[in-house]
Each structure stands twice: as C-alpha cells, then as structure tokens.
Amino acid sequence: MEVTALCIRLLSDAAVRIVPTRLQIFEYQSISFTCLGVNVSAGWRVTNANEFLKTCSNVTVTSTLTCTIGFALRSDSGEYWCEGGGGERSNTVHITITDASVILESPVLPVVERDAVTLSCRKKKTSSNLTADFYKDGLLIRSSSTGEMTIHRVSKSDEGLYKCRISGAGESPESWLAVRAGSVILESPALPVMEADAVTLKCRNKHTSSNHTADFYREGLLIKSSSTGEMTIHRVSKSDEGLYKCRISGAGESPESWLAVRVSSVLWLPYFSCQIHVEVEY
C-alpha cells in the first residue's frame, strides 16, 4: 500500500500576509488581494479552494504582489490566501460577494485593543447615509442615523460577528471583527512625506518610557534592527513607500502603518535678469 503525505507549511504572522481591499462587496464589482512580504520570483500567487487568480501585478517592489477579480460573482465568495511555489501559505481571509442591496464595511485586518473602529452600513444604489441597525452575534447593539457605528476604545470583548440592516433594503452578510491585544505601537508620519526629507520611525512599548531594541519591517520583511527603538531614513524616496511595522522582543509587534511618499511638484527655474532698451525717435 502506497501512502502519500501532503504537507503545507503555514507561515508566521511576521512573514507573508494577504490583505483584501474589502471583506464584503456587491456582486459584479472588483476586489483585489495583496500579498505582502513575498518573493515574487518564487512563484507566489493568490488562490482559493478552486483556482489561482490569474490577473496579477507586481506593484512597486518585488516583495508585493496584487491579484484582482475584476468582475466578482457570488460563487467567488470564500477563503483566499497567498501560496508559494513550495507550498508555503499565508494567513487566510474570508470574502463575501453578495447580490443583496446592503453590505457592512469593516476593518480587513485585526484591530488593536483601545483603537477606534468604525463600521459602515452601505446600500448599493445610493451614496447618501441611511439609518441602520447594527448587530453583534445576532443581537441588536445600536441604531445610527448616519449609517455608521464607532467603537471608540475597542476591547477583546468587542470581537465577534457583525452585520447591519437598513429598513426597506435588507441586511448585510456577517463579517468577523478580530481584536488583538497590543502593547507595541509604531510612531510614523500621519501625512505624506516629501522625497529627500528625513523620516524617523519610532517603536514604543506602552508599558514603559525607556527605549528598547526593536526590529523594523517593511512589507513584512526585516529591514533594520535598532538598539534605540528608532529608525531614520535620511533621504526618503518613492521606493521607501509601503507598509511598516516594528517588533520588540518579549512585548510583541505593532500594527502596520502606511508610509506615503510624494514627489515634489515644484519646478525650480534659474532666475534671469533682463533689461529692455527702448529707443524713441522724435
């Protein structure tokens, strides 16, 4: 009797991660999945239980791969993950494509305790806000005249299945809101920085004010270790744009933050001094 063993190596949270643009979308819209921290040349692709996605592009860096479903159908609902040529797999995300009239917009990644989290209830054929009821684990928790609900200081007890309902339009599918404990944060610029500027990222532990040795990651890949808990990019460029996070040994890692870099639109021209001589005949 021949026995075949099938082994799949799951990667840690610090390695490859899949990030969708949405957890819920209306049928016939597009949805994209980004694999962070991959080696594109090693055959990484986005897949579900049925097939690999074929429409993919390598965006700006070799460690990022984005694959898109341009015309999503209900049958495309399900679990998606990034998979390498050697069978390595990232985390899994569950996507719902619905032909109903209502969806719930919620965070695509786990949120960190004490953060503010906003859930939005959207109707397909209108851009205006409508009164919506929000449910957690099947129980009504809030009604909102703006169609949005904010949890100002989210906690582990807020984790669960959420959905919303708009009177006369119906209710959304459910999506899981994941909450994780976090004692590490990454301090980074809140606004886009200009090319050639100096940018400093700081890794902080909320339980202490002293500096700790920290590892800094970009697109899931380790780029620097610092004994001061800080990393400076002395002349930032467009190639430095991306998702950053940091890790302090024994304390954990920070959520990811996007560092945006923009190119200066100012064109510097040399200054010319001109004299005009006019001759007038009388």
Side-chain angles (χ1 to χ4, degrees):
M1 180 177 66
E2 182 179 354
V3 178
T4 303
L6 176 62
C7 299
I8 299 175
R9 183 161 63 92
L10 297 178
L11 299 177
S12 69
D13 185 50
V16 178
R17 173 178 293 181
I18 185 170
V19 180
T21 48
R22 295 277 183 87
L23 294 180
Q24 297 182 14
I25 66 165
F26 294 115
E27 196 174 26
Y28 310 129
Q29 291 183 336
S30 67
I31 184 170
S32 295
F33 303 85
T34 299
C35 300
L36 302 176
V38 301
N39 181 353
V40 175
S41 63
W44 281 91
R45 295 179 289 182
V46 173
T47 187
N48 58 24
N50 300 316
E51 62 180 350
F52 290 103
L53 301 191
K54 298 178 177 61
T55 306
C56 300
S57 61
N58 174 19
V59 181
T60 68
V61 289
T62 57
S63 58
T64 301
L65 178 71
T66 298
C67 301
T68 301
I69 302 175
F71 199 68
L73 303 174
R74 280 191 303 162
S75 57
D76 293 315
S77 296
E79 293 186 339
Y80 288 81
W81 59 89
C82 303
E83 185 170 316
E88 307 92 338
R89 285 176 56 169
S90 71
N91 61 307
T92 299
V93 292
H94 185 87
I95 303 301
T96 302
I97 294 96
T98 179
D99 62 351
S101 299
V102 178
I103 61 170
L104 175 69
E105 295 179 353
S106 60
V108 298
L109 296 175
V111 296
V112 179
E113 281 189 310
R114 305 181 71 180
D115 278 356
V117 176
T118 297
L119 307 179
S120 302
C121 200
R122 296 287 179 255
K123 186 173 181 293
K124 184 176 184 178
K125 295 184 179 180
T126 179
S127 59
S128 59
N129 294 330
L130 298 173
T131 298
D133 297 326
F134 290 85
Y135 297 80
K136 176 180 180 286
D137 298 325
L139 300 177
L140 177 65
I141 54 173
R142 190 178 304 180
S143 294
S144 168
S145 60
T146 64
E148 295 186 346
M149 182 191 85
T150 299
I151 306 171
H152 294 284
R153 291 171 65 87
V154 71
S155 67
K156 194 66 177 177
S157 63
D158 294 309
E159 191 170 70
L161 281 170
Y162 286 79
K163 67 180 180 181
C164 65
R165 181 191 299 271
I166 296 176
S167 180
E171 71 178 29
S172 73
E174 291 182 315
S175 282
W176 180 263
L177 176 65
V179 181
R180 68 178 184 184
S183 60
V184 178
I185 62 171
L186 176 67
E187 295 179 0
S188 60
L191 298 176
V193 296
M194 300 296 298
E195 275 195 320
D197 281 355
V199 177
T200 297
L201 306 179
K202 300 178 181 180
C203 199
R204 295 288 181 254
N205 186 339
K206 72 179 182 181
H207 296 305
T208 177
S209 59
S210 60
N211 293 331
H212 292 269
T213 298
D215 297 326
F216 291 85
Y217 297 81
R218 177 177 176 275
E219 310 292 1
L221 298 178
L222 177 65
I223 55 174
K224 187 173 184 179
S225 294
S226 167
S227 60
T228 64
E230 296 186 358
M231 183 191 84
T232 298
I233 306 171
H234 295 285
R235 289 180 61 86
V236 72
S237 67
K238 193 67 177 176
S239 63
D240 293 310
E241 193 172 72
L243 280 169
Y244 287 78
K245 67 179 178 181
C246 64
R247 181 188 297 273
I248 296 175
S249 180
E253 72 177 30
S254 72
E256 291 177 316
S257 292
W258 180 263
L259 177 64
V261 181
R262 66 180 183 184
V263 181
S264 174
S265 60
V266 177
L267 178 63
W268 295 99
L269 298 176
Y271 176 79
F272 294 95
S273 176
C274 301
Q275 292 182 341
I276 301 176
H277 178 73
V278 179
E279 293 184 356
V280 180
E281 294 184 358
Y282 294 95

